[in-house]
Amino acid sequence: MTTIQQNDFISSIADAFQYISYYHSPDFVAAMGEAWQREEAPAAKDAIAQILTNSRLCAEGHRPICQDTGIAVVFLKVGMKVKWDATLSVQEMVNEGVRRAYGLPENKLRASVLLDPAGKRQNSRDNTPAVVHYEIVPGDHVEVICAAKGGGSENKSKLAMLNPSDSIVDWVLKTVPTMGAGWCPPGVLGIGIGGTPEKAMLLAKESLMAPIDIHTLREKAASGAVLNRVEELRLELMEKVNALGIGAQGLGGLTTVLDVKILDYPTHAASLPVALIPNCAATRHVHFHLDGNGPAVLTPPRLEDWPDITWKADTQAATRVNLDTLTQAEVAAWKPGQALLLNGKMLTGRDAAHKRIQDMLAKGEPLPVDFANRVIYYVGPVDPVRDEAVGPAGPTTATRMDKFTRMMLEKTGLIAMIGKSERGPVAIEAIKDNRSAYLMAVGGAAYLVSKAIQTARIAGFADLGMEAIYEFEVKDMPVTVAVDSQGVSVHETGPKEWRIKIGKR
């Protein structure tokens, strides 16, 4: 009988969450490299280059791939012959491992888990509790998968209770465009089919834990081998989802997904539950076994596995902008898709800060900072270590701030915003009415973006932690004009253009 020691299990969990915070798996790196080679859309190719450069920097520097270091998800398959030498429960041991990983001083990860989700929404400060899925199986070892899932991709999860005669392919193709770009494509789609609603969701999540291997399936199909229905679905959806032209970061292009993973389970005769969960460009998971012979040993990927792609600011093609002297007239002159390099001081703020600003304005209370003629960056950064001004600081999903956009533009004097993904109709209308602009930074390039931040200080709402208002001073921070002062959105024009181009091939 195998005995699993408490500290071996805890330290393995802690090591795993540190490991996946800065290492992409080789299959993901290879798939992204191939996507970069194929890509013909300039904006999408640039975004993929930023993601790959960021990935290598994180592997070298042992810093998080994304500022959203995720909610901790653990899949456990516990052998029936396993014995535990532990005083804590399995959930408590997992939580302790997560606590150690997220609080490690040399690479402290952002704590994003909130207690009392329908009430005070108070940060647990250590990213616990983890979400743990258990299965008791034959055997004498413990199989563990640790994953860190960011809110941008988790928020795009979908579930449908289809009729048995409905087309799964049609539902997926109708649903993916509604997800926008907040899940940071290109990534992987996980699909669960069958069971009950909650089983379908779990299947979709678990499917994302498998390596990217669509190329192997293509080779199998090309050899003339017989495919089962799930394999046929994977290939069909891979082709048809990419034909939507959504592309990297939703800017339009050839690659929206790197793979489509599917798990299925028997279901009721009257039912066809189908779940869809995306994995973003910060795909983070690791798989290991414990057999009683100490903690897991996680082998780092080789730096040679990364393609020879290094993104650098193009000072010839991009327009340098001085944020300290920026005027509304300059903002109004920016064009859709224009590449900018931002220099000077900007403010930050996201959900909690915007809600507090709204409440203070309603009460006639003064704000802690002056937003007049300023630019705001939607970000919740990781704490700095060593000589960093700030830790990884990539953009958060901008659509969550849509309902605050008109207020910020018309009552605070704000003149432009930076985030990731598209803006909705309410925000675009407010941007157009106020001759403002929305700029997009690349999601999945958080460490690379942080290199442009020279200084950082908390300017307001310090009690909100990572959601506080910061003032950053930046040098050549890369962004793209995603919505111009006329309300033209590249997240609408880009995919439409590439959908037509792909359809003509």
Side-chain angles (χ1 to χ4, degrees):
M1 179 176 286
T2 298
T3 300
I4 306 296
Q5 301 292 328
Q6 175 171 294
N7 201 53
D8 288 348
F9 184 75
I10 292 173
S11 62
S12 297
I13 295 291
D15 289 348
F17 278 102
Q18 273 288 311
Y19 182 97
I20 62 177
S21 77
Y22 46 73
Y23 286 140
H24 271 133
S25 58
D27 57 282
F28 176 86
V29 172
M32 284 293 282
E34 291 169 6
W36 182 85
Q37 292 287 351
R38 288 193 306 269
E39 191 55 67
E40 298 172 14
K45 197 174 184 78
D46 182 79
I48 295 172
Q50 288 193 44
I51 291 166
L52 283 169
T53 302
N54 180 77
S55 178
R56 185 184 178 100
L57 287 172
C58 294
E60 292 172 331
H62 286 195
R63 293 295 276 143
I65 294 165
C66 181
Q67 80 290 338
D68 184 348
T69 49
I71 187 168
V73 180
V74 178
F75 289 88
L76 294 176
K77 292 185 179 179
V78 181
M80 297 172 73
K81 295 180 181 179
V82 166
K83 177 183 177 182
W84 295 90
D85 184 3
T87 57
L88 300 177
S89 70
V90 174
Q91 177 74 54
E92 289 170 334
M93 287 189 284
V94 170
N95 288 345
E96 179 57 26
V98 170
R99 188 174 292 114
R100 292 183 189 180
Y102 278 73
L104 190 70
E106 52 265 43
N107 184 39
K108 191 173 182 181
L109 308 180
R110 197 184 83 182
S112 302
V113 171
L114 305 183
L115 308 175
D116 190 16
K120 294 181 179 179
R121 294 181 66 83
Q122 185 174 356
N123 198 301
S124 71
R125 301 293 181 183
D126 59 10
N127 223 53
T128 67
V131 176
V132 186
H133 303 289
Y134 306 87
E135 188 176 350
I136 306 300
V137 299
D140 59 359
H141 67 276
V142 178
E143 181 180 344
V144 185
I145 299 175
C146 292
K149 285 293 267 105
S153 60
E154 286 293 86
N155 289 347
K156 303 303 181 179
S157 302
K158 306 294 181 181
L159 172 70
M161 298 302 292
L162 302 182
N163 293 317
S165 59
D166 290 343
S167 166
I168 294 170
V169 171
D170 287 350
W171 178 78
V172 172
L173 295 179
K174 179 180 71 174
T175 300
V176 169
T178 70
M179 291 160 48
W183 61 280
C184 287
V188 179
L189 293 185
I191 297 174
I193 303 171
T196 52
E198 77 283 4
K199 180 65 174 179
M201 292 298 290
L202 186 57
L203 290 168
K205 178 66 66 65
E206 192 171 5
S207 75
L208 292 169
M209 303 300 109
I212 294 172
D213 64 353
I214 197 75
H215 56 286
T216 303
L217 189 54
R218 283 172 170 154
E219 291 167 2
K220 180 179 177 180
S223 73
V226 176
L227 304 181
N228 62 40
R229 182 55 184 145
V230 164
E231 292 173 328
E232 292 174 345
L233 272 175
R234 287 182 62 196
L235 289 175
E236 183 179 1
L237 285 169
M238 180 76 177
E239 178 183 353
K240 291 182 176 179
V241 169
N242 280 331
L244 294 171
I246 294 168
Q249 302 293 299
L251 296 170
L254 299 178
T255 303
T256 302
V257 291
L258 304 172
D259 201 345
V260 176
K261 315 300 286 188
I262 300 176
L263 288 177
D264 65 357
Y265 195 84
T267 192
H268 191 281
S271 301
L272 182 57
V274 182
L276 189 158
I277 302 177
N279 237 359
C280 62
T283 295
R284 296 166 292 198
H285 54 86
V286 68
H287 189 159
F288 60 89
H289 292 75
L290 296 175
D291 58 8
N293 291 312
V297 177
L298 304 174
T299 305
R302 304 176 310 149
L303 289 178
E304 306 91 82
D305 291 337
W306 271 262
D308 187 17
I309 299 168
T310 302
W311 182 91
K312 292 182 179 179
D314 189 341
T315 56
Q316 300 300 314
T319 302
R320 275 202 168 105
V321 173
N322 185 344
L323 297 174
D324 299 331
T325 60
L326 187 63
T327 66
Q328 193 161 33
E330 288 179 78
V331 171
W334 291 338
K335 302 299 181 185
Q338 184 177 354
L340 307 178
L341 295 173
L342 305 182
N343 292 270
K345 294 179 179 179
M346 65 174 64
L347 297 170
T348 78
R350 41 178 285 164
D351 310 65
H354 279 77
K355 179 63 169 65
R356 187 172 292 184
I357 289 168
Q358 182 183 58
D359 293 344
M360 292 178 73
L361 289 173
K363 296 175 183 176
E365 297 174 354
L367 301 180
V369 293
D370 184 3
F371 287 95
N373 294 318
R374 303 293 298 271
V375 173
I376 194 169
Y377 182 27
Y378 302 145
V379 63
V382 175
D383 289 342
V385 299
R386 299 183 287 276
D387 59 349
E388 294 176 343
V390 70
T396 197
T397 307
T399 47
R400 298 202 312 274
M401 270 54 74
D402 280 6
K403 63 183 179 181
F404 302 110
T405 299
R406 185 172 293 277
M407 171 198 74
M408 293 297 293
L409 294 176
E410 296 179 357
K411 295 189 177 181
T412 73
L414 189 75
I415 57 174
M417 302 146 284
I418 309 164
K420 76 170 184 182
S421 78
E422 73 286 347
R423 302 308 297 264
V426 169
I428 291 175
E429 183 180 10
I431 289 168
K432 183 178 178 180
D433 288 348
N434 290 276
R435 293 180 60 76
S436 177
Y438 165 62
L439 313 176
M440 190 211 78
V442 172
Y447 193 36
L448 177 66
V449 170
S450 73
K451 299 289 187 182
I453 301 170
Q454 308 300 296
T455 64
R457 70 176 183 87
I458 293 179
F461 305 157
D463 61 299
L464 295 181
M466 63 93 175
E467 295 210 56
I469 296 175
Y470 287 79
E471 183 178 69
F472 290 166
E473 185 170 3
V474 298
K475 181 179 179 181
D476 285 345
M477 176 178 164
V479 295
T480 300
V481 179
V483 180
D484 75 345
S485 61
Q486 302 302 309
V488 177
S489 168
V490 297
H491 286 99
E492 295 176 3
T493 59
K496 185 181 297 183
E497 174 190 347
W498 280 92
R499 188 160 55 247
I500 294 169
K501 288 182 177 180
I502 293 169
K504 289 181 178 179
R505 293 187 172 204

